[in-house]
Amino acid sequence: MSQIALFGNPNTGKTSLFNNLTGSYEYVGNWSGVTVEKKVGILRHQHIHIVDLPGVYSLHPLSRDEGVATEFLLTESFSAILNIVDASQLKRNLHLTVQLLEFGKPLIIALNMIDVAERRGVKVDVEKISQYVGVPVVPIIARTGKGIDGLVHAVLSTSKQEAQRFFLNYGIEVETAIHRISEQLPTELNLSKRWLALQFLEENQRVHEYLQASVDIGPLLEVRNRVQELIGRPLPQYIHDVREKWIVDVIEKTTIIAPKQPLTITERIDAIVTNKYLGIPIFLLFMYIMFMLTFDWLGSPLADLLDQFFSGPLTDGLSKLLSIVGASPFIKELVLNGIVSGVGGVLVFVPQIFILFFFISFLEDSGYMARVAMVMDRFMEAIGLNGKAFIPMIIGFGCNVPGVMAARTIEQPKERLLTILLLPFMSCSARLPVYALFVGTFFTKHEALVVFLLYVLGIVVALLLAKLFSSTLLKNESSIFVVELPPYRMPQALTLWRSTWDKGKGFVRKAGTFIFAGSVAIWLLTYIGPKGIGVGMDDSFLAAIGGVLAPILAPLGFGTWQAGASLITGFLAKEVVVSTMNIIYHAKNMDALQGLMVHYFTPLSAISFMTFVLLYIPCLATVATIHKETNSRKWTFISISCALCIAYLVSFSIYEGGKLLGFS
Amino acid sequence: MIANVVIGGAIFAYAGWMFVRHVKKSSQGTCASCSMADGCHGSCGTYEHRHKG
Amino acid sequence: MFLTDLQQGKKAVITNLGMMNEVVKQRLIHMGLQEGEEICLKCVMPFGGPLMVEVCGQCICLRRKDAACIGVK
């Protein structure tokens, strides 16, 4: 089965195109670095694999997501390259195209965003450019799917086509050097020697390492130094300039550029949202509206409706059904007290989680994300990070796992590591049901405000920790911040919905699978005990397990075995904290549970508990991802233990401090 | 009686299976969180970090 | 003159990138910010924050200390 690789600059719509070609719904957004890992899909109705790769400006990796693309070229076998080119940014995009052409594999250019380009007054003559470059060029609009059929057609005919022959002359000195280097490369390398030689001359570190593994690098370095002396300026720059000249020439002959248009919408919006003084307040306002909608205006009423359904019709219906079938009390208890309480208790928060995801999707798709990075940079710089780190943090609000992955776009290893370490403090959507339950009980008048403050607390703790790490363990590395600001666009309703659904469905699926399993296990642990089956809750195994933690948690204000037990189960997935509480407290619905909780918690200890849940430990999936991304047990361990210590300290100070101040 | 065994058996079997699957998937990290994981023939995460500072 | 000396909303031509941090320079060149291009300073964030510039119809955000190394005319 042949494989086709999708290459292109960041934020040119590779993943949109990938989704269109394969009929899948991958994560798309409007900023650079949405895709950080390669993804494989199958071309619709064909036996061809399409590989989506992270966007790159050139083949020299500066950050880790870019490394994925270069690595792919060097080590994987594929039959053709599909190069997606942003028509409104031709000059910059073609630099990558030249490098890919030199690679020697069959290549098709998908000229994307022709609509955006035309609005900007750039008109590209597709046939002419195809002639000049010597490969098929297909105009498309990946967002709407226009031109995709033509592209599929081109892809299918190219898979039979022979390798294209692109040749750009770099002048006698460099050409001689390329020849010399090619001579020394072993024949068994499957890659174009000219391409390898050129990348080596350009000082591509990854290609350097690749060559080092198979040949003696000494003579090659000699060749490079000699030609550098002959030319009298840095080789990478020289090669860049030769390409630039060729590209300018191609563009001149194939496109018509109208004189500059008046102020675009993007510029007008930018004048406000990235305003010197209004920038940060606008961002905070956006966040505030998001929380109000999630918890106050829209989310809570919907959650109440769902809760009524679960506790009323659903429970009654199931109960009747079980009686008709003739189920034993054991089964009845298992279904009604175990599964319905456990799974239902989490599912009632689906509306709130979808609203939150909707906002995050909007942020991602509109182009505001990169602006947030810019607005926050000055602040982040002060704590030894850069504004780009804020993007993984926002994604982390949805789920920490993709947040940790998104940190790949950060160039400096130190900043990347730091960002990964502080991500678990970003309050993910799985923690939201815990807050919703507690604020619904104790802070009915200020639900949104309390949750907002919890989110802010998470950020503040993360930033303080970053400051601590960057001034102790991880100093001596300069920080780097350059970010591209994409034009704004109104997110399409369909994309927005799909993106929201994609994130939210994971939550629903988890409820049906793992939380179901967890509820059964927890219920079983409450049903059996050291003394036998069907014991009272306080004599159950779960009480024994939770009881071990209770004395340790007592100074935090919630020294009960119930709290201990739900925190332990919460490590597997944070939503389970709520499931466990529902089962333990035998609550039929959210109202009943909230009524019961007043006996076990005070408003102060509720805050302390929520804080502890926010900070105490990254969930299992996040821990595994941190381990994979940092490739270090040490840092994974530090991340967990740090979280535990900080959670304990913060909750302790909140509870004891609050008591001293006279709260209860 | 038979209904009890069937319902109970189904619930516990499903729960056990899901539990094992979740723990397995979570501890793999990265790939498990990818929605393409089922149909993906590439090997995610093969790129080892080469630029460790 | 350097980029930081430019007034907001004004345009200039980039003349020198030689003094920059290597990685930052690479990134900027990849994005199309190179010698000979026209650059427009779009906005400046407060408290010594980053700058937003436009090159080739593309908005780029970079730090002030990096911008201070870009020679313009």
Side-chain angles (χ1 to χ4, degrees), chain A residues 27 109 133 151 173 175 227 264 272 284 333 351 385 404 415 452 472 506 563 619 635 649-650 655-656:
Chain A
Y27 181 31
I109 293 177
V133 183
L151 186 63
E173 294 91 351
E175 288 299 333
V227 66
T264 60
I272 304 168
L284 289 179
E333 285 235 340
L385 275 174
V404 172
E415 289 176 275
F452 182 67
T472 54
C619 73
W635 285 111
L649 278 176
V650 174
Y655 185 66
E656 300 299 333

Side-chain angles (χ1 to χ4, degrees), chain A residues 367-379:
Chain A
Y368 185 49
M369 199 73 132
R371 267 82 177 178
V372 173
M374 170 170 152
V375 169
M376 298 306 285
D377 180 64
R378 178 66 196 90
F379 186 62

Side-chain angles (χ1 to χ4, degrees), chain A residues 57-58 62-63 66 89 91-92 120 240 244 260 267 270 274-276 374-375 377-378 381 385-386 388 411 478-485, chain C residues 21 23-24 26-32 34-35 37 42-50 52 54 56-63 65-66:
Chain A
Y57 295 105
S58 84
L62 291 179
S63 61
E66 296 179 324
Q89 292 290 340
K91 197 153 119 191
R92 192 185 78 185
R120 285 203 196 166
H240 178 90
E244 177 88 8
K260 188 140 171 38
E267 284 172 79
D270 263 343
T274 55
N275 181 285
K276 228 174 171 166
M374 170 170 152
V375 169
D377 180 64
R378 178 66 196 90
E381 192 184 6
L385 275 174
N386 73 55
K388 251 192 197 172
E411 288 92 349
S478 65
S479 148
I480 282 178
F481 178 65
V482 178
V483 67
E484 202 182 311
L485 303 172
Chain C
N21 172 312
V23 182
V24 177
Q26 281 278 330
R27 254 285 129 82
L28 290 175
I29 290 176
H30 288 162
M31 290 177 177
Q34 48 192 322
E35 285 163 21
E37 291 288 350
K42 305 282 283 190
C43 96
V44 182
M45 300 310 280
F47 312 115
M52 181 165 125
E54 189 190 328
C56 309
Q58 166 68 54
C59 290
I60 298 171
C61 170
L62 71 163
R63 281 198 170 149
K65 72 170 197 295
D66 297 320

Side-chain angles (χ1 to χ4, degrees), chain A residues 21 39-40 115 130 157 299-300 310 320 351 358 366 383 401 539:
Chain A
L21 287 174
K39 283 169 187 155
V40 186
D115 53 336
S130 171
S157 48
S300 296
F310 283 134
K320 272 186 201 135
F358 176 84
S366 62
I383 56 158
V401 173
D539 298 319

